[in-house]
Structures are given as structure tokens and as C-alpha cells.
Amino acid sequence: FDTSGRMNGKPLEEAKTGAKAFLGTLHDRDDVSMIFFNSSVFPTLGPKKLGPNRGDFTTRIDGQIANGRTALYDAVAQAYGEASKRAEKAPGVIHAVVVMTDGRDEGSTLSLSDLNKKLASTSGEGAGVKVFTIAYGDGADPKILEQIAEAAKGMSTKGNTTTIVDVFKDMAAFF
């Protein structure tokens, strides 16, 4: 979940609404992790069963403010790495990373090329983990987000508060 300064205003508000709508599509028994990022990639919240922790996730989402630069590639790599470890331990379970951002990296240590190589892994680490990207804001860069999603056999789309539930339904078709 991108909380960089570029997300200030409407993009952050739409992303918050979208994230809460996404949680609303999940079952109480689902495990959820959340990573917030701006110039830094913050420690992961979770994985936790959604049911007893739904309020905590919602409170964390609502409390986010936009500031700093955007370490998008580093955040995706961290989330993908954590999901990959869980996928190796539980291969029969759906594992996905959903990225909500404007798609513009401003300061990751990892390059887009290196990230895409990591995501393109088809066996071993990352097996069974798909990455879905949702572009928020008028300044969003869908080309970068499409590359990231394609490398991880996911999908990329543009999101806003009126379409977000349909976006998640489309994503669910991948499973």
C-alpha cells in the first residue's frame, strides 16, 4: 500500500477505500498481510486471520498519510518474497500480492529489471504467487505496473472508488 507523497489527496483516499473494499471481499478465515511503503518499506502487518483482525487492518488503512518518496520495487520485492515463503510451506493455498500505487518508483535500491526477473521465476521461490497491480491517481504509470503484473503472471488495472469491487472480482477469476 503506497503512502508516498505522490499519493496525496484523491489517490490516497481512493486507495484507502479500495483497500477496505478488498478486505470486504475476503472471508474471515483468510490470512492477510499488509505492507505500507513510501521512502521506506515498513514492517509487515500479518499474516493474520482477517476475522478477528479486520478492525485492526481497517484502522491501519484509515490512519495512513501521504509523505515521502516511493520505494515501489523494494516493497513489491519484500511482499513477493514473504508470499513466496508462505507458498512453499502451503502450496495448495492461493497466494497473491495486491499492489496499490501510482506506479512510479522514486528511490528503490532494486531496479525494475531486477524486480521483474525475480517475479518471473516459475519454480522454487515464488511458485504459485501472482502479483496484481492497481494504479491510483491521474499521474499513474500503467506501463510499469503492467510489466510487474505480467512478470508475475497476474494482472494490472486502473482503480478508483467506483470500480474497485469489480477490479477485485476480475482478479478472483485468476483463481
Side-chain angles (χ1 to χ4, degrees):
F1 192 106
D2 184 351
T3 62
S4 67
R6 293 182 53 84
M7 292 289 288
N8 193 39
K10 186 177 177 182
L12 182 63
E13 292 310 311
E14 287 183 348
K16 286 179 179 183
T17 300
K20 291 184 283 188
F22 174 63
L23 292 178
T25 66
L26 299 176
H27 297 283
D28 285 348
R29 68 182 180 275
D30 289 332
D31 288 326
V32 175
S33 296
M34 192 170 290
I35 299 174
F36 296 98
F37 65 96
N38 54 27
S39 302
S40 301
V41 180
F42 296 97
T44 304
L45 172 63
K48 295 180 179 183
K49 290 285 181 213
L50 183 57
N53 297 290
R54 192 177 297 271
D56 185 32
F57 281 111
T58 300
T59 299
R60 297 282 183 105
I61 291 166
D62 285 337
Q64 297 305 304
I65 58 170
N67 64 27
R69 295 173 59 84
T70 313
L72 171 63
Y73 307 152
D74 291 347
V76 172
Q78 178 176 318
Y80 185 79
E82 291 176 12
S84 297
K85 288 176 185 171
R86 287 191 300 277
E88 288 175 5
K89 293 177 182 173
V93 176
I94 296 170
H95 299 274
V97 174
V98 178
V99 182
M100 298 180 175
T101 182
D102 67 359
R104 297 182 187 265
D105 187 277
E106 301 172 329
S108 286
T109 57
L110 195 63
S111 71
L112 177 59
S113 174
D114 289 340
L115 173 62
N116 286 341
K117 286 176 189 171
K118 179 180 181 82
L119 298 176
S121 138
T122 56
S123 63
E125 182 184 355
V129 178
K130 295 186 182 336
V131 176
F132 299 93
T133 60
I134 304 171
Y136 279 97
D138 295 332
D141 188 340
K143 291 180 183 175
I144 289 173
L145 295 176
E146 287 167 7
Q147 287 181 41
I148 292 169
E150 184 178 309
K153 299 173 182 58
M155 71 175 256
S156 182
T157 190
K158 179 113 170 107
N160 62 48
T161 53
T162 57
T163 63
I164 196 62
V165 173
D166 290 334
V167 165
F168 291 120
K169 287 179 183 175
D170 289 346
M171 286 179 186
F174 275 74
F175 306 102

